[in-house]
Amino acid sequence: QVQLMESGGGSVQAGGSLKLSCNAPPLVFSGCGMAWYRQAPGKKRELVSSISRSRGTTYTDSVKGRFTLSQDNAKNTLYLQMDSLKTEDTAVYYCAADKGLHWERGGWVDCNYWGQGTQVTVSS
């Protein structure tokens, strides 16, 4: 079973920084579009940032200029650098490989894989 491994969450004061990491199996990382989502208590899950061949890198408006998505292809790892954090960034952050198809066991497989989530708490 494919599992995305997240790390890097934690607690920080407003204005601080955190960096999230998401490691994926090589064929998933190279074949799928990947993204970070977040879900705050009582709110719907929202797309924070994504990267894909078709759309490039995207950010939701509320994090533009503060968050940076990057990847290390040699390590099959996706990163989300979060700077100038605000209390409203508090949420559980999920890594996803959820766009396109990837090669697996002699065939193409839909990308639909998620991490377990990592808590980010920003205090005032």
Side-chain angles (χ1 to χ4, degrees), residues 106-124:
W108 292 101
V109 180
D110 283 332
C111 297
N112 186 19
Y113 308 108
W114 291 79
Q116 76 284 1
T118 185
Q119 177 70 46
V120 170
T121 302
V122 184
S123 58
S124 58

Side-chain angles (χ1 to χ4, degrees), residues 21-38:
S21 300
C22 173
N23 182 262
L27 290 178
V28 171
F29 187 83
S30 62
C32 301
M34 298 191 67
W36 288 96
Y37 292 78
R38 67 185 179 187

